[in-house]
Each structure stands twice: as C-alpha cells, then as structure tokens.
Amino acid sequence: MPFRVSKPTPHPVETLCEEPWKLAVEPFQVSPRTWYVAGQTWVGAYLIDTGAGLILLDTGIAESAYMLVDSIYKLGHKPTDIKMILISHAHLDHFGGAAIMHALTGAPIYMSKEDDEFMQKDPEETELPHDIWHVQHIKVDRHYDDNVAITLGDISIRTLLTPGHTLGCTSFFWDEKNPVTGETYTVAMHGGVGANTMNDDYYKTSKMLTPAHRERFLNDAEKIKKIHVDIALPSHPNQIEILDKAGTYTHESQPYLDDTVWADFIDERVRQVKVLMK
C-alpha cells in the first residue's frame, strides 16, 4: 500500500462544529483489535479491544461526541465498557469530547504531564480556534510514563513523548496478534504532526511553543521513523489514507498492513515543516 495523503475537506473545522453529520462515517476495523470510531472523517478516534475492556484513543470535539458514542454502540459495545481514555495531545479537536466520555464511562483520562500543564497555563492556545467550538474543560487523572506501558487485558501500549505540535504530544505503539494467522503486528499512532504550530508566524504569538520544539520534532523524527510499525494510523485521516478502505477489513486481507507507511509518513511531515521554515 503506497503512502498517500487524503484530500483535505473544505472548511472541515467549521463543518465539524456546526454540521458534523456532513462528515459522518461508519465505524470500521483497521487492525485485529482496533477500530476507527470517531464517527466523522476529520479527526480520528480509535477503540482498542483488550479482552478486558476497551481503551479509547482520542475523543474528537464535544459537537461530534454523539457520533463517537453511536459508533461504540454500532460495534456492539456500550460506553461503560471503556476503561481508559488516552489523549494524544492538548488540542481541543482531540480532547474536546473527553469530558463527555469520562462522564459516560467513568474511565480515567490520560495525558502527558507536559500537555496537562500546557492546557492549564495557556488554555486559549490549546483551544484553537477557540472562537469556533464549544470548550469542554477536562481534569486529567493520570500522566504517561514512557518507561511504563499502559496495560489492560492482553494489550500493552507503549507511549513516547514526541513534542513539536504541542509541548507534550504523545505517540502510541502496541502489538496485536492476528487470530487467523497468528502473526503479530505493531500498530502505532503519532501524537501530533501538524506543521500549523511549527512555523515562525505561529511562534510570534505562542506563549509556550518555541522554535526549539520544532527542532526537537525534526531531530526526533529521524529516530521515530526507524521504529518498526506494521500498521500506521493517523490522528487525522488526511495524514494517512485509511478511509478509502473503510469496511474492507478482514483478518485474512489486512488492508492496512504495510510496514513502509510509517517512515514515509514521518518523512512527509518533516518535509512540510521544513517548507515553512524557508
């Protein structure tokens, strides 16, 4: 599967906030234990079945939370089956639905310490564009420790601090076994690669992000892309094409299995950041 980037949706933020149903998508499986459940096509959310409860990775915004909940029910689960809510980074399009999901599930909310502090010290920056969507503030229950995996059932998620897009972007890596072939795949999602917060114009107004965070992102990218990943998942579906194969998954076919996508994806995001530095 060659690496491809989806065409962006015109005015996706406004559409997601005001008419999220126009971006609706049914839940679909992407790996043996993981499903795309955001309910819409602009910002991702994933449900991981650990055998001892579900882990929710990112939540979208408050306005689309009903679509996320609907996706969970369509897969035969209920919100209280969720035991952990993991947030990739402190931007409202990724944590905006977390307060709702916490209330529905009782599950603790995880975030990096760096982004928890970022969110507390400069809430307006993490809520960008804060004049468009409804803000649901959250209380983070637990912080990531990159030396300690997050384990539930037979799934252990390894976290990795990958700053740049925010102070505390966190990437996730976990292994899943194909129940048909017995093969084990490493699944991954990068915590945040948006060049929109890694350019000189942005740094002129940011209170906490600096060019040093961009340099950290560029330096880390060389190491991160060398991590072996069999199935690379995007935090936004326009970063890695997954929607074109929605609904086609089988354990035998593995439509998202391609260990070249991860490195190509990282290289493309580095290229985009460097373009903005010229």
Side-chain angles (χ1 to χ4, degrees):
M1 182 179 68
F3 173 71
R4 287 170 294 154
V5 178
S6 300
K7 293 181 180 180
T9 302
H11 311 297
V13 176
E14 292 87 345
T15 301
L16 186 63
C17 293
E18 298 173 5
E19 300 173 299
W21 55 89
K22 289 187 175 180
L23 301 178
V25 64
E26 293 292 305
F28 60 93
Q29 194 166 2
V30 294
S31 66
R33 307 287 285 276
T34 303
W35 286 258
Y36 184 93
V37 293
Q40 40 73 27
T41 60
W42 186 66
V43 58
Y46 297 93
L47 199 65
I48 306 169
D49 187 349
T50 73
L54 307 174
I55 295 175
L56 178 62
L57 177 52
D58 278 347
T59 67
I61 61 173
E63 287 84 345
S64 65
Y66 78 94
M67 304 168 82
L68 169 59
V69 173
D70 190 42
S71 292
I72 293 167
Y73 277 113
K74 285 178 177 177
L75 292 175
H77 302 294
K78 54 185 182 297
T80 51
D81 294 333
I82 295 172
K83 305 304 178 185
M84 298 175 177
I85 300 170
L86 311 186
I87 302 299
S88 62
H89 65 275
H91 279 158
L92 195 67
D93 51 337
H94 296 269
F95 75 79
I100 294 171
M101 296 310 298
H102 174 71
L104 290 174
T105 68
I109 297 173
Y110 290 68
M111 183 184 282
S112 69
K113 180 180 179 182
E114 291 81 359
D115 262 10
D116 189 7
E117 293 176 353
F118 180 36
M119 185 171 57
Q120 302 305 324
K121 291 179 180 179
D122 192 5
E124 285 196 359
E125 188 166 349
T126 63
E127 293 162 7
L128 286 175
H130 61 273
D131 58 339
I132 293 179
W133 41 38
H134 179 67
V135 177
Q136 287 273 3
H137 293 289
I138 63 170
K139 177 183 179 299
V140 176
D141 299 293
R142 300 174 190 173
H143 295 140
Y144 302 124
D145 181 342
D146 289 357
N147 295 312
V148 180
I150 297 171
T151 300
L152 184 66
D154 56 6
I155 297 291
S156 289
I157 299 178
R158 306 176 296 281
T159 62
L160 181 63
L161 182 66
T162 49
H165 184 52
T166 66
L167 299 177
C169 275
T170 299
S171 296
F172 307 89
F173 305 83
W174 65 99
D175 296 331
E176 300 181 7
K177 181 178 287 189
N178 186 321
V180 173
T181 67
E183 295 176 315
T184 297
Y185 312 131
T186 297
V187 186
M189 190 192 87
H190 194 288
V193 293
N196 59 314
T197 63
M198 290 188 278
N199 63 78
D200 291 335
D201 287 340
Y202 186 86
Y203 294 137
K204 292 175 184 177
T205 59
S206 176
K207 296 177 183 177
M208 299 182 72
L209 280 168
T210 70
H213 294 101
R214 177 173 62 197
E215 288 304 310
R216 168 72 184 269
F217 174 82
L218 294 173
N219 290 333
D220 284 351
E222 287 304 308
K223 296 178 289 185
I224 293 168
K225 76 176 188 178
K226 294 177 181 177
I227 298 174
H228 181 86
V229 173
D230 297 295
I231 299 173
L233 303 177
S235 58
H236 287 266
N238 67 348
Q239 296 170 353
I240 299 174
E241 180 60 79
I242 61 173
L243 296 173
D244 64 338
K245 293 182 173 63
T248 68
Y249 179 93
T250 67
H251 294 316
E252 293 82 3
S253 66
Q254 289 297 321
Y256 300 105
L257 179 63
D258 187 336
D259 63 6
T260 69
V261 170
W262 177 255
D264 290 346
F265 160 64
I266 299 297
D267 282 341
E268 169 60 19
R269 303 312 295 195
V270 167
R271 185 196 67 78
Q272 291 184 23
V273 171
K274 288 183 175 179
V275 165
L276 294 176
M277 295 170 63
K278 295 178 181 180

